[in-house]
Amino acid sequence: MEIKIMKNIMEANDRIAELNRAMFKDRGVVPINVMASPGSGKTSVILQIIKALGTEIGIGVIEGDIASSIDAETIDKLGIPVRQINTGGGCHLDATMIKTVAQDLKLKEPSLLLIENVGNLVCPSTFDLGETVKLVIASVPEGHDKPYKYTPMFMAANVIILNKSDLMPYIDFNKDIFYDGVRAVNQKAPVFEISCRTGDGVREFISWLRERARPRA
Amino acid sequence: MEIKIMKNIMEANDRIAELNRAMFKDRGVVPINVMASPGSGKTSVILQIIKALGTEIGIGVIEGDIASSIDAETIDKLGIPVRQINTGGGCHLDATMIKTVAQDLKLKEPSLLLIENVGNLVCPSTFDLGETVKLVIASVPEGHDKPYKYTPMFMAANVIILNKSDLMPYIDFNKDIFYDGVRAVNQKAPVFEISCRTGDGVREFISWLRERARPRA
């Protein structure tokens, strides 16, 4: 019973996600679903993207949180169009939430739409929002074993950031173990080691993203 | 429909959790539900507890993970009774899972049963396992804003650990903001700042836990 209901929910979500995808393509918008544990640096990565690409391309942001609007306020201060989704306890965004708020986000074409999901390395991976890119952020202090434990998330990623590389000297983080874990479940996604704090490695990631930001005709 | 089903699931879980609680009390077992984001140090805290209390009290461990048995193997090597629960994608442990594995865990009385939940600062907070203590671990690199964003988890906590205090010098972590956020939703839970890496602050937390480990008659 529970399983059947879940299957129906997922199928309904997938249908709406496909409609979102078509709508975004029509509008020249490239949506990026940003997923990570709490405190991995989702907002910091979004701020780096705005800083690097904000003058050359339209950018909009959707902030997903259980509660609060702390991150949305930070983005709003930069003059970037932003909408807050509070899930009220819910552990992930879904396609219907995105459909609802995306309609009244005024975006210049072409645009990047950065969707910050709820901080959660589990549930968001199974809910398609209609995005073009699933960006998964891991961070050095979380440890090198995350790809082994949170397999579905690393499997789903189109691109992976390993953030907080500046903390590497203070943490027992074995890069070989991390990369072996990623490659065991995902051979395609590029991995960028960056530090939003020092700016190290950000340029390489931005170059990769800039290519994706040009929506295909 | 979905809401009604969820309500039924939660009520069924609560009933089984109450049976677990009675069963644990009968057996002189004090179960601790350890909850945190991925990579906050749940296993490290459990290892500190084993190191400090392992010779004076019986200890058992239940390891909850989506996939893998990395942490259970670490515990097993110490000769501590341990059971692995793999949720197969599920984002939290529930009372039925605990009921199933707790029955065949051989524990000396009195005992602590350390239950490491799935790394997730959202979903586990709403599923009662029949525990006596909800231990929530935050870590310094996750940032000081977590209590504001993951309110239900900090609200549910009976005790809070702020782990990885050794990283404080390298991170923009404002303790006042963190404590204000905790106290806005939870006035009772003691907060212990510790570093599992250096051992700082661990003794104070262990003293607190030792008091709880004596099961009430």
Side-chain angles (χ1 to χ4, degrees):
Chain A
M1 176 70 161
E2 190 189 340
I3 289 165
K4 189 164 169 235
I5 296 275
M6 272 311 293
K7 189 161 169 280
N8 292 347
I9 292 172
M10 297 308 288
E11 283 174 0
N13 183 76
D14 287 351
R15 273 196 304 275
I16 297 162
E18 283 311 320
L19 294 174
N20 286 351
R21 206 176 328 269
M23 178 263 294
F24 285 129
K25 198 177 170 196
D26 275 356
R27 292 169 63 186
V29 172
V30 176
I32 316 277
N33 184 358
V34 184
M35 298 181 283
S37 301
S40 300
K42 291 182 292 303
T43 312
S44 301
V45 167
I46 287 173
L47 292 173
Q48 291 286 349
I49 295 171
I50 291 171
K51 192 173 143 197
L53 297 177
T55 55
E56 52 182 285
I57 191 160
I59 296 184
V61 177
I62 295 175
E63 282 292 336
D65 285 289
I66 301 174
S68 93
S69 56
I70 299 173
D71 297 335
E73 287 161 28
T74 308
I75 306 290
D76 185 56
K77 278 184 197 142
L78 302 173
I80 297 289
V82 59
R83 290 292 177 279
Q84 176 76 49
I85 298 173
N86 278 144
T87 63
C91 53
H92 60 270
L93 297 180
D94 65 34
T96 305
M97 297 174 189
I98 298 305
K99 181 170 180 260
T100 309
V101 301
Q103 279 162 346
D104 75 335
L105 250 184
K106 303 270 175 295
L107 296 174
K108 282 183 286 185
E109 301 186 11
S111 294
L112 273 181
L113 175 59
L114 305 167
I115 305 171
E116 180 171 340
N117 219 310
V118 176
N120 183 341
L121 212 50
V122 187
C123 317
S125 73
T126 50
F127 285 83
D128 187 0
L129 307 180
E131 69 277 332
T132 305
V133 173
K134 286 184 200 285
L135 163 58
V136 173
I137 305 172
S139 71
V140 169
E142 291 171 59
H144 49 235
D145 59 359
K146 292 302 147 300
Y148 300 85
K149 293 178 172 176
Y150 301 88
T151 327
M153 185 60 86
F154 287 89
M155 211 180 280
N158 302 118
V159 55
I160 296 167
I161 282 178
L162 178 58
N163 193 20
K164 309 196 187 183
S165 62
D166 57 298
L167 295 176
M168 202 69 86
Y170 314 112
I171 287 163
D172 307 313
F173 189 98
N174 185 319
K175 276 196 202 183
D176 289 339
I177 297 178
F178 178 78
Y179 278 96
D180 286 350
V182 169
R183 290 308 169 217
V185 297
N186 189 327
Q187 289 81 47
K188 281 189 183 168
V191 180
F192 295 96
E193 295 177 26
I194 76 170
S195 164
C196 289
R197 199 173 193 223
T198 65
D200 278 355
V202 171
R203 202 197 325 203
E204 289 77 5
F205 165 65
I206 293 293
S207 299
W208 182 91
L209 184 62
R210 185 182 277 116
E211 290 301 308
R212 271 78 202 163
R214 291 179 195 144
R216 287 158 216 148
Chain B
M1 176 69 161
E2 189 188 343
I3 289 166
K4 189 164 168 236
I5 296 274
M6 272 312 292
K7 190 161 168 281
N8 291 348
I9 292 172
M10 297 308 287
E11 283 174 1
N13 184 75
D14 286 352
R15 273 196 305 275
I16 298 163
E18 282 312 319
L19 294 175
N20 285 351
R21 206 175 330 269
M23 178 264 292
F24 286 129
K25 200 179 169 193
D26 274 357
R27 294 169 60 184
V29 172
V30 176
I32 316 277
N33 184 358
V34 183
M35 297 180 284
S37 300
S40 299
K42 291 182 294 302
T43 312
S44 301
V45 167
I46 287 174
L47 292 173
Q48 290 286 347
I49 296 171
I50 291 172
K51 191 172 143 194
L53 297 177
T55 56
E56 52 180 285
I57 192 162
I59 295 184
V61 176
I62 295 176
E63 282 293 336
D65 285 288
I66 301 175
S68 92
S69 56
I70 299 173
D71 296 336
E73 287 161 29
T74 307
I75 306 290
D76 185 56
K77 278 184 196 141
L78 302 172
I80 296 288
V82 60
R83 289 293 177 277
Q84 175 76 50
I85 298 174
N86 277 144
T87 63
C91 54
H92 60 270
L93 297 179
D94 65 34
T96 305
M97 297 174 189
I98 298 304
K99 182 170 180 259
T100 309
V101 301
Q103 279 163 345
D104 75 334
L105 250 183
K106 305 271 174 295
L107 296 173
K108 282 183 286 186
E109 301 186 11
S111 294
L112 274 181
L113 176 59
L114 305 168
I115 305 171
E116 180 172 340
N117 219 310
V118 176
N120 184 341
L121 213 49
V122 188
C123 318
S125 72
T126 51
F127 285 83
D128 187 359
L129 307 180
E131 71 276 332
T132 305
V133 173
K134 287 182 201 287
L135 163 59
V136 173
I137 305 173
S139 71
V140 168
E142 291 171 61
H144 49 237
D145 59 359
K146 291 301 146 301
Y148 299 86
K149 293 179 171 175
Y150 302 87
T151 329
M153 185 60 85
F154 286 89
M155 211 180 279
N158 303 117
V159 56
I160 296 168
I161 283 179
L162 177 58
N163 194 19
K164 309 196 188 183
S165 61
D166 56 298
L167 294 177
M168 201 70 86
Y170 315 111
I171 287 164
D172 308 314
F173 189 98
N174 186 318
K175 276 195 202 183
D176 289 339
I177 296 178
F178 178 79
Y179 279 95
D180 286 351
V182 169
R183 289 309 170 217
V185 297
N186 189 328
Q187 289 81 48
K188 281 190 182 168
V191 181
F192 296 96
E193 295 175 26
I194 76 171
S195 164
C196 288
R197 197 171 194 223
T198 65
D200 276 357
V202 171
R203 202 195 326 202
E204 290 76 5
F205 165 65
I206 293 293
S207 300
W208 182 92
L209 185 63
R210 184 182 277 117
E211 290 301 310
R212 271 78 202 165
R214 290 180 197 143
R216 287 158 216 146

Short mmCIF file of all heavy atoms in Angstrom, two decimals, chain A residues 71-116:
data_model
loop_
_atom_site.label_atom_id
_atom_site.label_comp_id
_atom_site.label_asym_id
_atom_site.label_seq_id
_atom_site.Cartn_x
_atom_site.Cartn_y
_atom_site.Cartn_z
N ASP A 71 19.10 32.39 3.49
CA ASP A 71 19.87 32.37 2.24
C ASP A 71 19.22 33.25 1.18
O ASP A 71 19.90 33.94 0.43
CB ASP A 71 20.02 30.94 1.74
CG ASP A 71 20.79 30.07 2.73
OD1 ASP A 71 21.60 30.63 3.50
OD2 ASP A 71 20.60 28.85 2.72
N ALA A 72 17.88 33.22 1.12
CA ALA A 72 17.18 34.04 0.13
C ALA A 72 17.46 35.52 0.36
O ALA A 72 17.64 36.30 -0.59
CB ALA A 72 15.67 33.76 0.18
N GLU A 73 17.53 35.93 1.62
CA GLU A 73 17.83 37.33 1.93
C GLU A 73 19.23 37.71 1.45
O GLU A 73 19.45 38.81 0.93
CB GLU A 73 17.69 37.58 3.44
CG GLU A 73 16.22 37.59 3.89
CD GLU A 73 16.04 37.37 5.39
OE1 GLU A 73 16.95 37.73 6.17
OE2 GLU A 73 14.99 36.80 5.78
N THR A 74 20.19 36.79 1.64
CA THR A 74 21.56 37.03 1.17
C THR A 74 21.58 37.25 -0.34
O THR A 74 22.24 38.18 -0.84
CB THR A 74 22.46 35.82 1.51
OG1 THR A 74 22.32 35.53 2.90
CG2 THR A 74 23.91 36.08 1.18
N ILE A 75 20.85 36.42 -1.07
CA ILE A 75 20.82 36.51 -2.54
C ILE A 75 20.10 37.80 -2.97
O ILE A 75 20.54 38.51 -3.88
CB ILE A 75 20.06 35.30 -3.15
CG1 ILE A 75 20.64 33.96 -2.65
CG2 ILE A 75 20.03 35.39 -4.67
CD1 ILE A 75 21.97 33.60 -3.16
N ASP A 76 19.00 38.09 -2.29
CA ASP A 76 18.18 39.26 -2.64
C ASP A 76 19.00 40.55 -2.56
O ASP A 76 18.85 41.45 -3.38
CB ASP A 76 16.96 39.32 -1.71
CG ASP A 76 16.01 40.44 -2.09
OD1 ASP A 76 15.57 40.46 -3.26
OD2 ASP A 76 15.73 41.31 -1.24
N LYS A 77 19.88 40.61 -1.55
CA LYS A 77 20.72 41.81 -1.37
C LYS A 77 21.62 42.08 -2.57
O LYS A 77 22.09 43.20 -2.76
CB LYS A 77 21.59 41.65 -0.11
CG LYS A 77 20.84 42.00 1.17
CD LYS A 77 21.75 41.92 2.39
CE LYS A 77 20.89 41.87 3.66
NZ LYS A 77 21.47 40.96 4.66
N LEU A 78 21.89 41.04 -3.37
CA LEU A 78 22.74 41.20 -4.55
C LEU A 78 21.94 41.66 -5.77
O LEU A 78 22.49 41.82 -6.86
CB LEU A 78 23.45 39.88 -4.87
CG LEU A 78 24.33 39.30 -3.75
CD1 LEU A 78 24.82 37.92 -4.15
CD2 LEU A 78 25.50 40.23 -3.47
N GLY A 79 20.62 41.83 -5.59
CA GLY A 79 19.78 42.25 -6.71
C GLY A 79 19.46 41.13 -7.67
O GLY A 79 19.06 41.38 -8.82
N ILE A 80 19.63 39.89 -7.24
CA ILE A 80 19.34 38.72 -8.07
C ILE A 80 17.90 38.27 -7.78
O ILE A 80 17.52 38.16 -6.61
CB ILE A 80 20.33 37.57 -7.73
CG1 ILE A 80 21.77 37.97 -8.05
CG2 ILE A 80 19.94 36.27 -8.43
CD1 ILE A 80 22.10 38.07 -9.53
N PRO A 81 17.09 38.00 -8.83
CA PRO A 81 15.73 37.52 -8.58
C PRO A 81 15.76 36.21 -7.80
O PRO A 81 16.46 35.28 -8.18
CB PRO A 81 15.16 37.27 -9.99
CG PRO A 81 16.07 37.99 -10.94
CD PRO A 81 17.40 38.10 -10.27
N VAL A 82 15.03 36.14 -6.70
CA VAL A 82 15.07 34.96 -5.84
C VAL A 82 13.68 34.66 -5.29
O VAL A 82 12.90 35.59 -5.03
CB VAL A 82 16.11 35.15 -4.70
CG1 VAL A 82 15.79 36.36 -3.85
CG2 VAL A 82 16.24 33.89 -3.83
N ARG A 83 13.36 33.38 -5.18
CA ARG A 83 12.12 32.96 -4.54
C ARG A 83 12.46 31.95 -3.46
O ARG A 83 13.32 31.08 -3.65
CB ARG A 83 11.17 32.29 -5.54
CG ARG A 83 10.56 33.23 -6.56
CD ARG A 83 9.58 34.22 -5.92
NE ARG A 83 9.05 35.18 -6.90
CZ ARG A 83 9.68 36.27 -7.31
NH1 ARG A 83 10.88 36.58 -6.85
NH2 ARG A 83 9.10 37.09 -8.19
N GLN A 84 11.79 32.06 -2.32
CA GLN A 84 11.98 31.13 -1.21
C GLN A 84 10.90 30.06 -1.23
O GLN A 84 9.72 30.39 -1.37
CB GLN A 84 11.93 31.89 0.12
CG GLN A 84 12.03 31.02 1.36
CD GLN A 84 13.45 30.54 1.61
OE1 GLN A 84 14.39 31.32 1.61
NE2 GLN A 84 13.62 29.24 1.82
N ILE A 85 11.28 28.81 -1.11
CA ILE A 85 10.31 27.75 -0.83
C ILE A 85 10.59 27.22 0.56
O ILE A 85 11.70 26.76 0.84
CB ILE A 85 10.43 26.58 -1.84
CG1 ILE A 85 10.14 27.06 -3.26
CG2 ILE A 85 9.47 25.44 -1.46
CD1 ILE A 85 10.39 25.99 -4.33
N ASN A 86 9.61 27.32 1.45
CA ASN A 86 9.73 26.68 2.76
C ASN A 86 8.89 25.41 2.72
O ASN A 86 7.68 25.46 2.50
CB ASN A 86 9.26 27.60 3.89
CG ASN A 86 10.35 28.58 4.33
OD1 ASN A 86 10.06 29.71 4.67
ND2 ASN A 86 11.60 28.14 4.30
N THR A 87 9.55 24.28 2.95
CA THR A 87 8.85 23.00 2.83
C THR A 87 8.05 22.67 4.09
O THR A 87 7.29 21.70 4.10
CB THR A 87 9.83 21.85 2.56
OG1 THR A 87 10.71 21.74 3.69
CG2 THR A 87 10.65 22.09 1.30
N GLY A 88 8.25 23.44 5.17
CA GLY A 88 7.52 23.18 6.41
C GLY A 88 7.77 21.80 6.97
O GLY A 88 6.83 21.11 7.36
N GLY A 89 9.03 21.38 6.97
CA GLY A 89 9.38 20.06 7.50
C GLY A 89 9.77 19.08 6.40
O GLY A 89 10.48 18.13 6.65
N GLY A 90 9.29 19.31 5.19
CA GLY A 90 9.59 18.41 4.07
C GLY A 90 11.09 18.37 3.77
O GLY A 90 11.76 19.39 3.87
N CYS A 91 11.57 17.20 3.36
CA CYS A 91 13.01 16.96 3.29
C CYS A 91 13.59 17.13 1.90
O CYS A 91 14.74 16.82 1.67
CB CYS A 91 13.31 15.56 3.79
SG CYS A 91 12.31 14.32 2.94
N HIS A 92 12.78 17.60 0.94
CA HIS A 92 13.26 17.77 -0.44
C HIS A 92 12.33 18.71 -1.18
O HIS A 92 11.18 18.90 -0.78
CB HIS A 92 13.27 16.41 -1.16
CG HIS A 92 11.90 15.80 -1.21
ND1 HIS A 92 11.42 14.96 -0.24
CD2 HIS A 92 10.89 15.94 -2.10
CE1 HIS A 92 10.18 14.61 -0.53
NE2 HIS A 92 9.83 15.19 -1.65
N LEU A 93 12.82 19.29 -2.26
CA LEU A 93 11.94 20.00 -3.19
C LEU A 93 11.32 19.00 -4.16
O LEU A 93 11.89 17.92 -4.38
CB LEU A 93 12.75 21.04 -3.97
CG LEU A 93 13.38 22.16 -3.13
CD1 LEU A 93 14.15 23.12 -4.04
CD2 LEU A 93 12.33 22.92 -2.33
N ASP A 94 10.16 19.34 -4.72
CA ASP A 94 9.60 18.51 -5.78
C ASP A 94 9.22 19.38 -6.98
O ASP A 94 9.29 20.62 -6.92
CB ASP A 94 8.44 17.64 -5.27
CG ASP A 94 7.25 18.46 -4.83
OD1 ASP A 94 6.98 19.52 -5.43
OD2 ASP A 94 6.56 18.04 -3.88
N ALA A 95 8.84 18.71 -8.06
CA ALA A 95 8.61 19.41 -9.33
C ALA A 95 7.46 20.41 -9.24
O ALA A 95 7.50 21.47 -9.86
CB ALA A 95 8.35 18.38 -10.43
N THR A 96 6.45 20.09 -8.45
CA THR A 96 5.30 21.00 -8.31
C THR A 96 5.72 22.32 -7.65
O THR A 96 5.28 23.40 -8.05
CB THR A 96 4.17 20.33 -7.50
OG1 THR A 96 3.85 19.10 -8.13
CG2 THR A 96 2.94 21.20 -7.43
N MET A 97 6.55 22.21 -6.62
CA MET A 97 7.04 23.44 -5.96
C MET A 97 7.77 24.33 -6.96
O MET A 97 7.60 25.55 -6.97
CB MET A 97 8.00 23.07 -4.82
CG MET A 97 7.39 22.26 -3.69
SD MET A 97 8.69 21.77 -2.52
CE MET A 97 7.80 20.64 -1.46
N ILE A 98 8.61 23.71 -7.78
CA ILE A 98 9.39 24.47 -8.76
C ILE A 98 8.48 25.11 -9.78
O ILE A 98 8.62 26.29 -10.14
CB ILE A 98 10.43 23.55 -9.45
CG1 ILE A 98 11.40 22.98 -8.42
CG2 ILE A 98 11.17 24.29 -10.56
CD1 ILE A 98 12.12 24.01 -7.59
N LYS A 99 7.48 24.33 -10.27
CA LYS A 99 6.52 24.84 -11.25
C LYS A 99 5.85 26.11 -10.71
O LYS A 99 5.74 27.11 -11.40
CB LYS A 99 5.47 23.75 -11.50
CG LYS A 99 4.40 24.10 -12.52
CD LYS A 99 3.60 22.85 -12.85
CE LYS A 99 2.52 23.16 -13.87
NZ LYS A 99 1.21 23.34 -13.27
N THR A 100 5.43 26.04 -9.44
CA THR A 100 4.68 27.14 -8.84
C THR A 100 5.51 28.42 -8.77
O THR A 100 5.05 29.49 -9.15
CB THR A 100 4.23 26.73 -7.42
OG1 THR A 100 3.58 25.47 -7.50
CG2 THR A 100 3.29 27.75 -6.83
N VAL A 101 6.76 28.31 -8.29
CA VAL A 101 7.52 29.54 -8.10
C VAL A 101 8.23 30.00 -9.37
O VAL A 101 8.50 31.19 -9.54
CB VAL A 101 8.54 29.46 -6.94
CG1 VAL A 101 7.86 29.14 -5.64
CG2 VAL A 101 9.64 28.48 -7.24
N ALA A 102 8.54 29.06 -10.29
CA ALA A 102 9.31 29.44 -11.48
C ALA A 102 8.50 30.36 -12.38
O ALA A 102 9.06 31.21 -13.08
CB ALA A 102 9.74 28.20 -12.26
N GLN A 103 7.15 30.18 -12.33
CA GLN A 103 6.32 30.96 -13.25
C GLN A 103 6.42 32.47 -13.04
O GLN A 103 6.34 33.23 -13.99
CB GLN A 103 4.86 30.49 -13.14
CG GLN A 103 4.62 29.23 -13.97
CD GLN A 103 3.36 28.47 -13.58
OE1 GLN A 103 2.80 28.74 -12.52
NE2 GLN A 103 2.94 27.54 -14.41
N ASP A 104 6.60 32.88 -11.78
CA ASP A 104 6.65 34.34 -11.57
C ASP A 104 8.05 34.89 -11.32
O ASP A 104 8.21 36.02 -10.89
CB ASP A 104 5.67 34.74 -10.46
CG ASP A 104 6.18 34.38 -9.08
OD1 ASP A 104 6.99 33.45 -8.98
OD2 ASP A 104 5.79 35.04 -8.12
N LEU A 105 9.06 34.04 -11.60
CA LEU A 105 10.44 34.54 -11.54
C LEU A 105 10.75 35.22 -12.87
O LEU A 105 10.75 34.57 -13.91
CB LEU A 105 11.42 33.39 -11.34
CG LEU A 105 12.15 33.22 -10.02
CD1 LEU A 105 13.13 32.06 -10.12
CD2 LEU A 105 12.87 34.47 -9.56
N LYS A 106 11.03 36.49 -12.84
CA LYS A 106 11.35 37.20 -14.09
C LYS A 106 12.82 36.95 -14.41
O LYS A 106 13.72 37.43 -13.72
CB LYS A 106 11.13 38.71 -13.91
CG LYS A 106 9.72 39.09 -13.47
CD LYS A 106 8.78 39.32 -14.64
CE LYS A 106 7.36 39.57 -14.14
NZ LYS A 106 6.75 38.39 -13.44
N LEU A 107 13.06 36.20 -15.49
CA LEU A 107 14.43 35.89 -15.87
C LEU A 107 14.72 36.42 -17.27
O LEU A 107 13.91 36.30 -18.17
CB LEU A 107 14.65 34.37 -15.84
CG LEU A 107 14.52 33.70 -14.47
CD1 LEU A 107 14.59 32.19 -14.60
CD2 LEU A 107 15.59 34.20 -13.52
N LYS A 108 15.92 37.02 -17.38
CA LYS A 108 16.39 37.42 -18.72
C LYS A 108 16.80 36.16 -19.47
O LYS A 108 17.27 35.21 -18.87
CB LYS A 108 17.60 38.33 -18.60
CG LYS A 108 17.28 39.76 -18.23
CD LYS A 108 18.53 40.60 -18.21
CE LYS A 108 19.38 40.28 -16.98
NZ LYS A 108 20.57 41.14 -16.83
N GLU A 109 16.65 36.13 -20.79
CA GLU A 109 17.11 34.96 -21.57
C GLU A 109 18.43 35.31 -22.21
O GLU A 109 18.59 36.42 -22.67
CB GLU A 109 16.09 34.61 -22.64
CG GLU A 109 14.74 34.30 -22.04
CD GLU A 109 13.75 33.80 -23.10
OE1 GLU A 109 14.18 33.50 -24.22
OE2 GLU A 109 12.56 33.71 -22.79
N PRO A 110 19.36 34.38 -22.29
CA PRO A 110 19.37 33.09 -21.60
C PRO A 110 19.70 33.25 -20.11
O PRO A 110 20.38 34.20 -19.73
CB PRO A 110 20.48 32.32 -22.31
CG PRO A 110 21.43 33.39 -22.78
CD PRO A 110 20.59 34.61 -23.05
N SER A 111 19.25 32.33 -19.33
CA SER A 111 19.45 32.42 -17.89
C SER A 111 19.85 31.09 -17.27
O SER A 111 19.50 30.03 -17.78
CB SER A 111 18.15 32.85 -17.20
OG SER A 111 17.77 34.15 -17.55
N LEU A 112 20.54 31.20 -16.18
CA LEU A 112 20.78 30.06 -15.29
C LEU A 112 19.77 30.18 -14.16
O LEU A 112 19.59 31.26 -13.61
CB LEU A 112 22.17 30.14 -14.67
CG LEU A 112 23.37 29.56 -15.39
CD1 LEU A 112 24.61 29.77 -14.51
CD2 LEU A 112 23.18 28.08 -15.67
N LEU A 113 19.14 29.08 -13.81
CA LEU A 113 18.27 29.08 -12.63
C LEU A 113 18.91 28.15 -11.60
O LEU A 113 18.95 26.93 -11.80
CB LEU A 113 16.86 28.60 -12.99
CG LEU A 113 15.90 28.46 -11.79
CD1 LEU A 113 15.73 29.79 -11.05
CD2 LEU A 113 14.55 27.93 -12.25
N LEU A 114 19.43 28.72 -10.53
CA LEU A 114 20.12 27.94 -9.50
C LEU A 114 19.11 27.57 -8.42
O LEU A 114 18.55 28.44 -7.75
CB LEU A 114 21.27 28.75 -8.92
CG LEU A 114 22.26 29.27 -9.98
CD1 LEU A 114 23.20 30.32 -9.39
CD2 LEU A 114 23.04 28.12 -10.60
N ILE A 115 18.85 26.28 -8.30
CA ILE A 115 17.85 25.80 -7.35
C ILE A 115 18.57 25.15 -6.18
O ILE A 115 19.14 24.07 -6.31
CB ILE A 115 16.90 24.77 -8.01
CG1 ILE A 115 16.27 25.36 -9.27
CG2 ILE A 115 15.84 24.30 -7.02
CD1 ILE A 115 15.50 24.33 -10.11
N GLU A 116 18.56 25.84 -5.03
CA GLU A 116 19.20 25.26 -3.84
C GLU A 116 18.21 24.35 -3.15
O GLU A 116 17.23 24.80 -2.57
CB GLU A 116 19.70 26.35 -2.88
CG GLU A 116 20.35 25.74 -1.68
CD GLU A 116 21.07 26.73 -0.76
OE1 GLU A 116 21.41 27.85 -1.19
OE2 GLU A 116 21.31 26.37 0.41
#
